[in-house]
Amino acid sequence: MPRLAANLTMMYAEYPFLDRFRAAASDGFTGVEFLFPYDFTAVDLKARLQDNGLTQALFNAPPGDWAAGERGIASLPGRESEFQRGMDQALEYAAQLGNRSVHVMAGLIRAGDDRAVHRDVYLKNLAFAARAAASAGITVVIEPINTRDIPGFFLNRQDDAQAVCAEVGASNLKVQFDCYHCQIVEGDIAVKLQRDMAGIGHIQIAGVPDRHEPDLGELNYPYLFDRIDALGYTGWIGCEYRPKAGTSAGLGWASSYLAKH
């Protein structure tokens, strides 16, 4: 049975952010994830987790200037020192919040940029991140993202992500398998899950094509959940979708997986 984590960046947007923890717990979630914790103190976030009996599953390392359109800096030449400082900050938060995974976003590549140069920077930064995280027992995850949602994103395919992890060669560097992004770029999700499961560190879900609830759209998630269970995955499955209407009203798809309080 899947262990579902509510993505508090996208879900429960009808509440102020710090109130979303209670809302998720009230609906039966036992885990949460979100994009970034850095607008709040780790002490405040930890209190919300503890008060509501929640486990922090995942958050992202600092992505550069998000408001200006940056979507990660791990593959950007000349930003290595900034990346390292950001990774240190992410690990400081993880030490307080208790999550065992941190997502590192690759960033954007422009037309005409030298992809080989970006890849070399990416590999070196990921090697640094994995080394820094290893002593804390943290897994670093990287995510292929479709270019419809984020045009120009450096990493788009599951096989490319697995190849990057293999080349870095760190046991605590794995792939974040987002079924939504994979379906848009590649499809054949069940086969790719079976092929790559040993290298998958986190899974996320959403309906395709509109990124609403998982029971809306072209993917058969009950089937995929059975396959994921059969493959031995016991980690969190992040619900990274935009509810079509109210978050709680749209959770019928998850009723058999959530323990209502």
Side-chain angles (χ1 to χ4, degrees):
M1 180 176 292
R3 289 201 299 156
L4 300 178
N7 187 293
L8 299 186
T9 301
M10 291 192 174
M11 300 174 71
Y12 300 102
E14 54 267 49
Y15 301 100
F17 182 77
L18 291 178
D19 293 339
R20 298 176 192 179
F21 293 81
R22 179 179 296 175
S26 295
D27 280 335
F29 285 100
T30 57
V32 296
E33 62 177 33
F34 41 74
L35 290 184
F36 310 111
Y38 312 108
D39 287 340
F40 305 92
T41 69
V43 171
D44 285 345
L45 294 172
K46 183 178 180 179
R48 299 289 170 153
L49 293 167
Q50 291 180 335
D51 289 349
N52 294 287
L54 293 167
T55 297
Q56 185 72 38
L58 179 81
F59 61 75
N60 295 356
D65 191 341
W66 186 266
E70 291 191 319
R71 293 297 182 263
I73 58 174
S75 74
L76 303 189
R79 306 285 291 275
E80 291 88 346
S81 294
E82 180 184 354
F83 175 82
Q84 292 177 10
R85 291 193 301 271
M87 194 66 206
D88 289 342
Q89 184 183 20
L91 293 175
E92 289 172 2
Y93 268 82
Q96 292 292 315
L97 302 187
N99 49 299
R100 313 313 301 166
S101 298
V102 171
H103 173 211
V104 169
M105 297 187 73
L108 307 178
I109 186 169
R110 299 168 299 185
D113 284 350
D114 189 331
R115 188 171 184 85
V117 171
H118 278 256
R119 192 174 191 277
D120 184 60
V121 171
Y122 192 40
L123 292 170
K124 290 176 180 176
N125 276 335
L126 291 176
F128 168 86
R131 287 195 302 271
S135 61
I138 300 291
T139 295
V140 176
V141 291
I142 60 174
E143 180 184 28
I145 295 177
N146 79 79
T147 55
R148 170 156 64 80
D149 283 21
I150 305 184
F153 196 76
F154 180 76
L155 187 68
N156 311 124
R157 294 184 57 86
Q158 298 297 319
D159 53 359
D160 289 342
Q162 293 290 341
V164 165
C165 291
E167 189 163 347
V168 173
S171 61
N172 65 325
L173 177 65
K174 295 195 173 186
V175 174
Q176 181 169 307
F177 191 109
D178 189 313
C179 296
Y180 168 79
H181 292 303
C182 183
Q183 174 68 4
I184 291 171
V185 176
E186 307 175 59
D188 208 18
I189 288 176
V191 171
K192 289 179 172 63
L193 285 166
Q194 180 167 350
R195 181 191 70 188
D196 295 337
M197 184 54 74
I200 293 173
H202 188 67
I203 294 175
Q204 291 178 323
I205 59 173
V208 181
D210 296 321
R211 208 169 192 173
H212 293 319
E213 282 80 356
D215 61 339
L216 301 176
E218 64 196 44
L219 288 177
N220 180 355
Y221 276 107
Y223 170 80
L224 290 174
F225 290 155
D226 287 346
R227 295 295 304 137
I228 289 166
D229 283 347
L231 291 168
Y233 179 80
T234 58
W236 292 99
I237 295 181
C239 303
E240 195 183 42
Y241 66 84
R242 293 183 293 267
K244 190 170 183 179
T247 302
S248 297
L251 285 173
W253 69 271
S255 60
S256 62
Y257 310 123
L258 297 177
K260 296 286 186 177
H261 290 186

